[in-house]
Amino acid sequence: MTQTPHSILKDVFGYHEFRGPQAAVISALVAGNDALVLMPTGGGKSLCYQIPSLVREGVGIVISPLIALMQDQVSALHELGVRAGFLNSTMTAQEAWQTELAMHNGELDMLYVAPERLIQPRTIELLHQVKIALFAIDEAHCVSQWGHDFRADYLKLDMLQREFPNVPRIALTATADVRTREEIITRLQLENAQQFVNGFDRPNIQYRIQQKNTPKVQLLRFLRDEHANHSGIVYCLSRNKVEQTAEWLSAEGFTALPYHAGLTPQVRQKNQNRFLREDQIIMVATIAFGMGIDKPDVRFVAHLDLPKSIEAYYQETGRAGRDGEPATTLLLYGLEDVVKLRQMMSNSEGSEEFKRHEQQRLNAMLGLCEITSCRRQTLLRYFGDTLTQACGNCDSCLTPAQTWDATEAVRMALSCVYRTGQRFGAGHVIDVLRGASNEKINSFNHQTLSTYGIGKHIGADEWKSIIRQLVARGYLDVDAQAYGGLKLNDSCRAILRGEDTIQLRRDIKTSATSVARKQG
Ligand code: ADP
Ligand code: ZN
């Protein structure tokens, strides 16, 4: 009885058509070739190895770091009549032995195994005794030392090529900038793999990025006006802020639960289960939340802090709208985010090269925040995927950003940074520009500077926006050691000398009144 991929798709999985590159990936593997699949979360990666595991003789070995999900995946396969098992550290020796025996007797179509288990000599020996259909390396970006999902055990997976040279391998990931992709290829020795980069566009997700002015008001309006009865995720950078935000949202009448690595596993599990099973739950979380979470009807993802990279932003926003129905994402970001992330990165452990790489990734993210053209086009271009036309479903497309000739104001800001000695943060520089009188200004005698009060006519929020854009574009540097002090970068010389003009984005004003009215 030989079954074709298409008949298995129908008879076993109950679907009628392959999606995106699935058919092509599957034929590559069935033919015995290696493949590298870059497909976003929810794109349908699983079938890419599940079907070839069933078509090819022997057992398909799936390497996954998400041991918490193995049981679910295996149970789901059992429901479909697929003979699947798993091996990981959560099971008893007895259970593991039974699974091994089943595999040895040729009674398994698929085996899910944790990387640390796979690389044990005992497991490798066992695998040599059976016929293997393929190796699937899921979450392959875990080989990347630059990513936050790095697993040292993944580096040892290069032994698959040496130990089992004739078994086709497929590596899969949803997270792949060009550099991570190259790393996967070299580390897993997938030089001959066919590459499939596809389907990164999530057309039902609306992207919005706004200046963070009054974040609570902005978030409340977003939730009340658009998502009153929905489930969604609110990401924050710190555990503290997660706690505070969850409490505050609860006091505002929402069902908001915290999730971060500082909570006990029991609490985390409980909150996660409620989020998965109940309606209208807001999960307030750090990035610890979400990997492998499959909740189809997440209607919104809000970021109260800037993600570290476009990959992170894409992955986190990608948890919205997996059912294909419209979903919205809102990122609020401000100068303080840039300062904080730059400081965290430069104070982190790691080589200079690592830090430089992190800063570059942050710069790409800042670029996405500041562009005035279609966000989706920029986002997709970053992953090597293309969108030929502006999307019509991001804030840049829906409410085209205004730009203005900010040369005059920028010169004021830059000279004020210079005159105050290149060691103060944005708050103080803005106070000086606006001619404020306070103790700090007095104690440094800054009221006597030529730049004191020259920027009165521009509001404090606008100044914040200007300085943020100058930092994002690299005209101003942030001193990572000294409380975010601003410094001139060489690149701003031309503007200071009057040789260059500069256009800046005019941030959309968020009015506090509309929410206040609603609340009242
Ligand atoms: P990923 O691993 O890429 O995040 P999954 O493999 O979990 O995605 O697939 C996401 C969802 O899409 C699942 O519910 C899966 O059953 C469904 N799916 C995958 N391929 C198809 C298809 N060809 N037709 C219909 N549904 C599909
Ligand atoms: Zn767009």
Side-chain angles (χ1 to χ4, degrees), residues 92-376:
T92 63
Q94 170 75 11
E95 287 168 333
W97 184 76
Q98 271 171 357
T99 302
E100 288 172 9
L101 188 68
M103 178 164 75
H104 194 263
N105 292 342
E107 291 162 7
L108 280 189
D109 301 311
M110 293 184 65
L111 177 75
Y112 285 75
V113 52
E116 60 275 12
R117 183 86 185 206
L118 180 94
I119 58 174
Q120 287 171 13
R122 194 175 129 38
T123 314
I124 296 168
E125 201 188 306
L126 179 74
L127 291 177
H128 275 298
Q129 294 162 17
V130 299
K131 178 90 188 150
I132 298 173
L134 59 84
F135 287 106
I137 303 163
D138 207 2
E139 312 288 345
H141 61 278
C142 292
V143 296
S144 169
Q145 280 164 308
W146 311 112
H148 58 69
D149 295 329
F150 174 64
R151 307 278 177 129
D153 289 329
Y154 260 65
L155 293 181
K156 302 188 185 138
L157 296 179
D158 60 346
M159 62 87 181
L160 293 176
Q161 161 73 358
R162 292 192 302 276
E163 297 271 344
F164 306 94
N166 298 319
V167 178
R169 293 169 301 143
I170 171 174
L172 309 102
T173 178
T175 317
D177 59 325
V178 174
R179 180 155 175 179
T180 312
R181 188 181 317 172
E182 281 162 4
E183 230 184 322
I184 293 172
I185 292 170
T186 9
R187 296 209 185 274
L188 297 178
Q189 294 173 15
L190 283 167
E191 284 82 3
N192 296 322
Q194 250 180 283
Q195 291 189 34
F196 302 88
V197 182
N198 219 303
F200 274 84
D201 190 13
R202 302 281 308 279
N204 60 315
I205 296 182
Q206 186 176 103
Y207 298 104
R208 290 186 219 160
I209 303 180
Q210 293 173 4
Q211 151 144 298
K212 193 193 290 186
N213 291 326
T214 45
K216 286 186 167 176
V217 173
Q218 288 169 282
L219 181 65
L220 268 192
R221 189 169 54 187
F222 175 72
L223 296 176
R224 293 225 165 102
D225 290 2
E226 301 178 51
H227 295 291
N229 305 314
H230 293 157
S231 296
I233 308 172
V234 175
Y235 280 108
C236 306
L237 188 62
S238 71
R239 297 172 184 186
N240 238 334
K241 187 159 169 186
V242 163
E243 299 275 351
Q244 287 164 5
T245 306
E247 266 170 41
W248 164 68
L249 283 175
S250 302
E252 291 288 339
F254 296 95
T255 313
L257 306 174
Y259 190 104
H260 59 72
L263 297 168
T264 64
Q266 290 81 356
V267 172
R268 271 191 311 217
Q269 192 63 46
K270 192 173 122 231
N271 290 352
Q272 174 171 323
N273 286 344
R274 284 193 63 189
F275 180 70
L276 292 176
R277 301 209 176 109
E278 295 175 31
D279 291 330
Q280 302 180 26
I281 302 261
I282 300 178
M283 193 61 118
V284 186
T286 60
I287 54 166
F289 178 72
M291 201 185 185
I293 294 289
D294 188 4
K295 182 177 169 66
D297 59 345
V298 175
R299 293 271 69 82
F300 66 87
V301 170
H303 281 92
L304 292 185
D305 297 298
L306 183 68
K308 288 198 311 187
S309 64
I310 291 187
E311 290 86 347
Y313 174 70
Y314 180 81
Q315 200 166 42
E316 285 149 23
T317 54
R319 294 182 181 127
R322 293 181 69 163
D323 55 7
E325 299 295 319
T328 41
T329 66
L330 174 67
L331 161 59
L332 300 178
Y333 110 105
L335 176 63
E336 59 278 20
D337 291 297
V338 187
V339 172
K340 206 181 296 167
L341 284 181
R342 287 230 196 282
Q343 286 175 336
M344 276 171 57
M345 286 175 182
S346 91
N347 297 334
S348 71
E349 318 241 305
S351 64
E352 284 309 306
E353 196 199 354
F354 176 79
K355 290 180 186 175
R356 206 164 37 243
H357 183 60
E358 292 271 279
Q359 297 282 5
Q360 281 165 2
R361 289 171 17 123
L362 175 59
N363 289 343
M365 183 65 220
L366 292 175
L368 179 66
C369 292
E370 301 295 355
I371 51 157
T372 50
S373 57
C374 176
R375 307 247 194 229
R376 193 181 310 269

Side-chain angles (χ1 to χ4, degrees), residues 9 15-19 22 39-47 49 138 294 322:
L9 178 74
Y15 299 134
H16 297 285
E17 302 289 344
F18 283 114
R19 215 192 247 172
Q22 281 174 338
M39 219 194 258
T41 305
K45 287 187 285 300
S46 318
L47 286 186
Y49 54 82
D138 207 2
D294 188 4
R322 293 181 69 163

